[in-house]
Amino acid sequence: MTSQTTTAGPGHRPGEPDRSNGPGTPDSPHSSDGLQAGLKNRHLSMIAIGGVIGAGLFVGSGAGIAAAGPAILLSYALVGLMVVFVMRMLGEMAAARPSSGSFSAYADQALGRWAGFSIGWLYWFFWVVVLAVEATAGAKILEGWVPGVPQWAWALIVMVVLTATNLVSVGSYGEFEFWFAGIKVVAIGAFVVVGLLAVFGVLPGSDNPGAGFAHLTDTGGFFPEGPGAILTGVLMVVFSFMGSEIVTLAAGESENPQRAVQKATNSVIWRIAVFYLGSIFIVLTLLPWNDKSIVKDGSYVAALNSIGIPHAGQVMNVIVLTAVLSCLNSGLYTASRMAFSLGGRGDAPKAFARTNKRGVPQAAILSSVVFGFVAVFFNYQWPDTVFQFLLNSSGAVALFVWLVICFTQLRMRGMILRESPEKLVVRMWLFPYLTWATIAMISFVLVYMLTDDDGRQQVLLSLLVAALVVAISLVREARNRKNRTAVETPANT
């Protein structure tokens, strides 16, 4: 294994590990942090497009529709707007300073060592718990197809295969994700097109009456559960957007990080509009929002059944399995790169920051997957206690990450303008007003979660874990400061 090589970046303090963790020049095949630029432009494009599409969109949207009715579209639009703003801020920083640690590295530079340490480890924790959730979801589908193999064995097989993929090279991760994301994108695109034809009654052989937009208001109006249900819907859909930021981590291993980040940031609006709002809009126009099949079979399966697509359930299972594998693949990649970045900044074991001859952070990948395996075991052994605690204590981390990105961008804008203004090629709109507005929106969602029974538990447990991680970071920082002082103070003679 070859050791990671770093170069001191802007803001580096003597006597401390370098925390810039940025790659070399955009045209270089090797990053200065030891990673290789193995992701091609087509990989980054598809990771960017598919990054906002998780299994939660396919599986969880039915519950949101049942809770808010057609007004769930406004819930998706509000959260989508929040994600667009957050991605614009993150894009501004990532285009100027591409890094395998993305927002964690930027928080380290802009807000302090404690911030980079804390949000980095919380984000890592979030994704290793996601590994267990997605492995179990995939195993359930596979067990239904091949019941002779137990569910735990399928979970193990899926985890081993994707771990091997990530260990081979970053290019193999990109290739797998290119096809996984491609299937999701094609499936949703086809669903929207076919659905629109059925909505207007022009799809040959369709079983749907083709009511046009009537279903948006014909069952209790557009707000059947009242305007307040929009906020309830926000709580139910916000976490299905997590993952949009993956492309800014992956950009550090691409041939042209700046260009990749620009494209991903500029395309996030239409991605959310088509894949989230577009597909949910189709479901709501094909069926009355209170149709029992939406919750029973899932919103997409119910919509396909209403059109008369044969074997809709199995078709959707294939697509959901693809989404699960994509999420697993990206989750392992993301967790390992965050661990790698933390190791390079001295906030994790040094072994995490080493890459092998293929530019792969082997120790970071294996450590992440080991915790994922442990979480899978917890899911089977103590699903209602230990694993439920893990789920709830990572539940609000997405919102914490977005908040940190906002506060980091407030500080980082000035740093970039002072040190390298020519790199400010992506700019947050109406800075700083929209940044503060986004902070207010995210804070409101967190506060509103406290009024919801499930949401309250997630926020409080996530805050508890966050407080613990911040406390550890502050203790470490105080100890390091004390050690530096002891070294710098001449001994009394």
Side-chain angles (χ1 to χ4, degrees):
M1 293 177 65
T2 57
S3 296
Q4 174 202 28
T5 311
T6 57
T7 55
H12 174 60
R13 290 191 279 270
E16 290 185 12
D18 174 45
R19 303 195 305 281
S20 61
N21 205 27
T25 60
D27 300 319
S28 170
H30 297 274
S31 299
S32 63
D33 54 15
L35 298 173
Q36 288 190 354
L39 292 176
K40 299 175 182 176
N41 287 333
R42 66 182 177 88
H43 293 155
L44 262 293
S45 296
M46 196 55 75
I47 290 169
I49 294 171
V52 292
I53 311 169
L57 175 63
F58 299 106
V59 178
S61 53
I65 292 171
I72 194 69
L73 284 170
L74 296 181
S75 304
Y76 274 102
L78 280 172
V79 179
L81 188 65
M82 207 157 60
V83 172
V84 167
F85 291 159
V86 170
M87 279 297 293
R88 187 74 185 182
M89 287 181 252
L90 187 53
E92 175 181 297
M93 297 182 287
R97 297 182 178 183
S99 168
S100 61
S102 187
F103 51 83
S104 173
Y106 308 143
D108 191 316
Q109 296 167 40
L111 303 179
R113 193 70 179 273
W114 68 272
F117 176 97
S118 303
I119 207 63
W121 277 114
L122 284 172
Y123 194 67
W124 178 87
F125 172 59
F126 172 86
W127 279 110
V128 292
V129 172
V130 167
L131 290 181
V133 174
E134 299 295 341
T136 305
K140 284 180 181 176
I141 295 173
L142 289 165
E143 187 189 29
W145 294 343
V146 188
V149 180
Q151 196 178 116
W152 65 266
W154 277 122
L156 183 66
I157 290 168
V158 166
M159 291 277 276
V160 167
V161 169
L162 291 178
T163 300
T165 301
N166 276 264
L167 285 171
V168 170
S169 70
V170 68
S172 64
Y173 154 72
E175 199 62 34
F176 266 72
E177 192 56 27
F178 175 81
W179 292 106
F180 286 155
I183 292 171
K184 288 189 290 185
V185 169
V186 169
I188 293 184
F191 176 79
V192 170
V193 171
V194 171
L196 273 176
L197 294 175
V199 164
F200 292 109
V202 294
L203 182 69
S206 173
D207 295 340
N208 195 279
F213 302 142
H215 287 321
L216 293 176
T217 54
D218 65 3
T219 313
F222 191 75
F223 299 99
E225 302 294 335
I230 297 171
L231 293 175
T232 303
V234 165
L235 302 188
M236 302 181 82
V237 307
V238 68
F239 302 108
S240 64
F241 282 84
M242 191 65 170
S244 308
E245 65 290 327
I246 289 175
V247 69
T248 63
L249 281 85
E253 292 177 82
S254 69
E255 296 161 348
N256 192 329
Q258 195 175 77
R259 181 169 173 268
V261 169
Q262 276 185 277
K263 284 183 67 178
T265 305
N266 292 334
S267 66
V268 71
I269 297 174
W270 72 260
R271 285 186 277 137
I272 289 173
V274 173
F275 298 128
Y276 279 84
L277 288 171
S279 60
I280 298 300
F281 176 80
I282 293 299
V283 172
L284 288 166
T285 48
L286 285 174
L287 292 163
W289 70 270
N290 58 355
D291 191 301
K292 289 182 169 54
S293 65
I294 290 178
V295 174
K296 182 186 172 188
D297 302 327
S299 55
Y300 289 81
V301 173
L304 291 173
N305 282 333
S306 79
I307 296 172
I309 301 291
H311 311 294
Q314 288 305 317
V315 170
M316 193 50 61
N317 270 341
V318 172
I319 296 168
V320 170
L321 179 63
T322 305
V324 163
L325 294 176
S326 170
C327 199
L328 259 173
N329 195 36
S330 288
L332 181 52
Y333 172 84
T334 306
S336 64
R337 281 352 182 238
M338 188 56 75
F340 170 83
S341 176
L342 288 165
R345 289 178 273 139
D347 291 335
K350 289 181 180 178
F352 288 7
R354 298 195 186 104
T355 57
N356 60 21
K357 61 185 179 182
R358 296 185 302 276
V360 173
Q362 199 166 290
I365 291 173
L366 292 175
S367 63
S368 300
V369 85
V370 163
F371 193 96
F373 277 127
V374 171
V376 169
F377 172 75
F378 287 158
N379 197 4
Y380 288 112
Q381 194 67 28
W382 302 289
D384 299 322
T385 51
V386 179
F387 189 71
Q388 193 61 40
F389 171 81
L390 290 178
L391 272 182
N392 285 329
S393 58
S394 64
V397 166
L399 294 168
F400 295 167
V401 167
W402 294 346
L403 264 183
V404 168
I405 289 171
C406 294
F407 283 112
T408 300
Q409 191 259 342
L410 283 172
R411 295 285 303 276
M412 186 66 83
R413 166 69 74 93
M415 294 169 67
I416 296 170
L417 284 174
R418 284 194 304 272
E419 296 167 10
S420 47
E422 73 283 356
K423 292 184 178 180
L424 201 62
V425 292
V426 176
R427 288 174 179 262
M428 176 59 183
W429 307 295
L430 297 177
F431 176 83
Y433 308 109
L434 267 187
T435 301
W436 281 111
T438 309
I439 290 171
M441 288 167 66
I442 298 169
S443 301
F444 178 80
V445 172
L446 281 168
V447 171
Y448 190 76
M449 284 178 75
L450 293 173
T451 67
D452 176 77
D453 290 339
D454 294 333
R456 185 184 309 115
Q457 195 173 26
Q458 287 186 9
V459 170
L460 294 178
L461 285 177
S462 296
L463 280 172
L464 178 66
V465 172
L468 180 64
V469 175
V470 170
I472 292 170
S473 71
L474 292 175
V475 169
R476 287 179 77 258
E477 199 168 342
R479 186 184 300 157
N480 290 338
R481 198 181 301 117
K482 185 178 178 182
N483 291 341
R484 284 198 304 272
T485 304
V487 169
E488 292 167 2
T489 303
N492 293 325
T493 55

